[in-house]
Amino acid sequence: MIRLADIFTDGMTLQRQKPIRIWGHTDCPQTVCIALNGKVLVENEHIEEDFSLSLPAQQAMSDAVLAIEGTNDRIELKNVDIGEVWIAGGQSNMEFLLRYDAEASEQIRTASDPHLRFYDVGEYTFENEKNITCKDNSNAWDRWLSFNRETAEYFSAVGVYFARILRETYDVPVAIVGCNWGGTTASAWTEESLLENDPVLRVYMDEYRKATENLDMDEYIQKHAEALAFLESKEMIRIMRRAMYGNISLPEYIRAIPVLMKISKAGMPIGPRYQNAPGVLYCTMVSRIAGFSCRGVIWYQGESDDTHAEIYDRLFSTMIRCWRNAWKEELPFLFVQLAPFGKWLGNTGEMYPVVRCKQEIVSKTVPGVWMASIMDAGDRKDIHPKQKRPAGERLALLARGKVYHEDILCEAPEFAEAVVQDGRLVLRFANAGEGLSIRGKRLNAFELSSKDRPLRWQKASVNGDLLIIEGKEIQKDKKLEVRYAWSSWCEANLYSSAGLCAKPFEWKYGADEI
């Protein structure tokens, strides 16, 4: 009997204009033929045990039939689309369901697009977990969904806004393959050997080994089962749903903190079934879709890597290399820089400026990687901004410009250089388009200091790609430190003509100029 990998079912979407890989297992050696709408694509191919076949690249089409005819079996997959496929990876802000989005009611009410599809890889950390868990979103995992009023709430909100732009722009089927899990570090999504063999990243392995050096597996499995049951309890699901909707009351907020602390400290023990064990999600989730033909990856993650913020660039770069190795191609990576954030259910954004800095380093040093800024789309009291349209649509804009090669302004304004004059600081930005603009009466999130002493400035204005800061304390012979949006929380309001918010930056002037 031929058994295809879980992702190959009726209603799936395959990538256009690239070879299509299909894999699975057969109990006995067979010769197979594969046809698409009656046209033979693979003829008399021998398969045995774990097999993988490559179909020639196809143009976009809808509602096709893919037939696999073996010596002993016949599989017919119906309602197959061929179009644009993107992997949506990361943690909770990518996983964030459309039902929690600020525009959810309108998006769900108008959801009616059979050729916008979603496949969500099940969140499992060990082989048999799929058979014993009843997690809150498990009814939408490991199966293809088309975008309609009954299913839309289970789609990634970022994925929906991203996919809708591609649908409108290119008029081909579009699919999002979700491979994400809330609260996870990039080390869990990276092959263990890559962490072990890196002298800097080995810290993740060392910390894990120290935490599990006296692990009693029988006791651990029991504790893990209890923690899983607690996570799936009605109380926990109710609290987390209200928190995700953003309407949790103050008493509930106070009650929720010890509940969440119980999970993080005692409820979910560290061990081989812990979702943040090094490499675990690469093994249990990424490996199940690795090689599935796609255009690229959209990524939203980093909140859970604030504990080692200083090495996030190295970790994220290594994870990207890991995924590219798994797909055997240089997949484009488009990712979201962390949104402004203050405090939420015991979490703080204290280290986010460092993580954001490291994210930008990755976007500048790793080929085929680009970053979207959402410094105007955060929430001071919620780690999950409810407005997901900016993240999704700005990722789509990056895809259009960088991956599909449209001649459009798709990158956020970024600091390029500055000139200090007596009484004036003139900063030039790249990617300003037809010119910068300040939305509001005053420039927000701009800090000017000298030797750690804040300096006053009186006026900010723009002229084309220039931001001009005027102030009596700005002097050519004085050391200056300039920061924009360089804090955990801010309300950034400097934009390009394309409506894209400027990236955070830090610049020093004087004897220690960098």
Side-chain angles (χ1 to χ4, degrees):
M1 172 180 282
I2 296 174
R3 295 189 299 275
L4 298 176
D6 290 344
I7 198 168
F8 300 106
T9 68
D10 292 344
M12 67 182 177
T13 300
L14 303 173
Q15 178 62 46
R16 65 170 175 163
Q17 300 170 340
K18 295 175 70 171
I20 299 168
R21 181 180 167 230
I22 292 181
W23 67 92
H25 180 83
T26 179
D27 293 336
C28 60
Q30 298 193 50
T31 298
V32 298
C33 295
I34 301 179
L36 181 67
N37 282 348
K39 178 185 176 182
V40 176
L41 303 180
V42 172
E43 189 171 12
N44 298 327
E45 185 77 24
H46 179 76
I47 63 171
E48 54 184 88
E49 298 183 344
D50 295 326
F51 68 88
S52 177
L53 298 172
S54 180
L55 311 185
Q58 302 295 309
Q59 294 303 313
M61 64 179 72
S62 303
D63 299 323
V65 176
L66 185 71
I68 302 173
E69 188 83 45
T71 308
N72 306 311
D73 298 289
R74 176 179 171 81
I75 298 174
E76 190 172 270
L77 303 179
K78 300 176 181 178
N79 195 25
V80 174
D81 280 357
I82 299 180
E84 290 301 303
V85 178
W86 284 82
I87 311 298
Q91 57 182 109
S92 55
N93 273 306
M94 182 62 84
E95 181 185 10
F96 190 91
L97 302 181
L98 185 62
R99 69 182 175 208
Y100 302 128
D101 185 70
E103 301 177 49
S105 58
E106 178 64 14
Q107 291 292 327
I108 293 172
R109 185 185 66 80
T110 60
S112 179
D113 187 346
H115 304 298
L116 193 167
R117 297 179 179 176
F118 184 53
Y119 182 91
D120 207 8
V121 179
E123 296 177 5
Y124 308 115
T125 60
F126 59 97
E127 187 173 353
N128 295 322
E129 186 176 7
K130 183 175 182 178
N131 300 322
I132 63 175
T133 188
C134 296
K135 294 179 181 177
D136 185 35
N137 192 38
S138 59
N139 61 331
W141 287 344
D142 296 320
R143 64 189 182 103
W144 284 96
L145 303 176
S146 292
F147 192 61
N148 57 52
R149 294 176 68 175
E150 286 69 44
T151 62
E153 66 171 309
Y154 298 112
F155 282 50
S156 157
V158 171
V160 166
Y161 290 114
F162 175 84
R164 282 193 142 180
I165 293 294
L166 299 192
R167 284 282 289 140
E168 293 167 5
T169 305
Y170 304 118
D171 193 27
V172 297
V174 175
I176 300 298
V177 176
C179 189
N180 40 66
W181 189 325
T184 53
T185 162
S187 63
W189 298 101
T190 305
E191 192 173 11
E192 191 175 314
S193 63
L194 295 177
L195 304 173
E196 184 68 68
N197 295 328
D198 187 306
V200 175
L201 300 182
R202 194 178 299 144
V203 63
Y204 296 98
M205 299 300 303
D206 292 342
E207 289 177 349
Y208 177 74
R209 278 191 284 262
K210 184 176 180 180
T212 59
E213 59 186 354
N214 298 314
L215 193 67
D216 180 311
M217 277 305 296
D218 291 337
E219 181 181 354
Y220 170 77
I221 290 172
Q222 177 63 31
K223 285 185 176 180
H224 182 272
E226 292 172 357
L228 204 59
F230 176 67
L231 280 169
E232 296 165 7
S233 67
K234 291 182 179 179
E235 175 195 13
M236 191 60 210
I237 290 175
R238 181 182 59 83
I239 289 174
M240 288 310 299
R241 278 196 176 188
R242 288 183 65 82
M244 294 300 286
Y245 277 118
N247 59 5
I248 190 169
S249 66
L250 182 60
E252 284 179 310
Y253 180 96
I254 294 171
R255 288 198 301 270
I257 290 177
V259 172
L260 295 172
M261 293 298 287
K262 179 180 178 181
I263 295 172
S264 62
K265 291 188 174 180
M268 187 56 73
I270 298 176
R273 297 184 176 185
Y274 180 46
Q275 69 268 24
N276 272 323
V280 65
L281 301 183
Y282 175 80
C283 290
T284 60
M285 293 179 66
V286 178
S287 65
R288 286 158 53 199
I289 60 167
F292 188 76
S293 298
C294 64
R295 186 63 68 187
V297 178
I298 55 175
W299 183 263
Y300 192 161
Q301 187 271 341
E303 297 92 338
S304 291
D305 278 306
D306 59 350
T307 54
H308 289 300
E310 73 285 354
I311 58 173
Y312 183 73
D313 54 331
R314 193 172 184 118
L315 175 62
F316 188 28
S317 300
T318 300
M319 192 215 79
I320 291 171
R321 174 160 54 90
C322 175
W323 284 38
R324 286 174 168 174
N325 289 343
W327 263 263
K328 296 182 172 60
E329 63 175 301
E330 294 298 296
L331 292 175
F333 264 74
L334 315 177
F335 72 93
V336 181
Q337 192 175 38
L338 293 187
F341 163 64
K343 187 175 182 180
W344 180 83
L345 295 182
N347 298 288
T348 71
E350 182 180 357
M351 295 303 295
Y352 280 22
V354 179
V355 176
R356 292 187 196 114
C357 177
K358 299 302 182 179
Q359 288 178 313
E360 177 146 23
I361 289 173
V362 174
S363 74
K364 297 297 185 185
T365 58
V366 182
V369 176
W370 296 278
M371 182 179 77
S373 171
I374 57 167
M375 293 304 294
D376 57 339
D379 190 318
R380 187 171 195 163
K381 297 180 180 179
D382 198 333
I383 202 171
H384 304 111
K386 302 304 182 248
Q387 294 277 359
K388 287 294 186 279
R389 182 186 288 272
E393 293 191 346
R394 290 173 190 177
L395 287 171
L397 197 63
L398 276 177
R400 290 175 59 195
K402 299 300 183 180
V403 180
Y404 299 107
H405 306 297
E406 290 188 53
D407 185 15
I408 56 174
L409 179 58
C410 62
E411 292 187 270
E414 62 180 59
F415 169 73
E417 59 184 354
V419 175
V420 179
Q421 304 168 342
D422 287 341
R424 289 207 329 166
L425 173 64
V426 181
L427 305 103
R428 188 179 68 81
F429 285 75
N431 307 319
E434 296 177 4
L436 299 169
S437 65
I438 298 171
R439 295 185 182 177
K441 296 181 179 180
R442 179 178 173 86
L443 177 67
N444 296 335
F446 189 87
E447 302 174 62
L448 189 61
S449 63
S450 179
K451 297 181 181 179
D452 297 326
R453 182 179 72 84
L455 299 182
R456 290 186 177 184
W457 51 277
Q458 282 72 48
K459 181 181 178 182
S461 60
V462 295
N463 183 6
D465 62 355
L466 302 179
L467 172 65
I468 302 164
I469 306 295
E470 299 178 54
K472 295 178 181 179
E473 294 191 271
I474 301 172
Q475 301 295 326
K476 290 178 66 175
D477 60 353
K478 182 181 292 186
K479 293 182 181 180
L480 297 177
E481 293 186 7
V482 180
R483 289 179 170 181
Y484 174 72
W486 203 266
S487 58
S488 57
W489 163 253
C490 65
E491 295 179 287
N493 64 340
L494 181 65
Y495 291 85
S496 70
S497 60
L500 300 177
C501 184
K503 301 175 185 178
F505 73 89
E506 180 182 49
W507 181 71
K508 296 181 181 180
Y509 167 81
D512 300 321
E513 183 177 349
I514 57 172

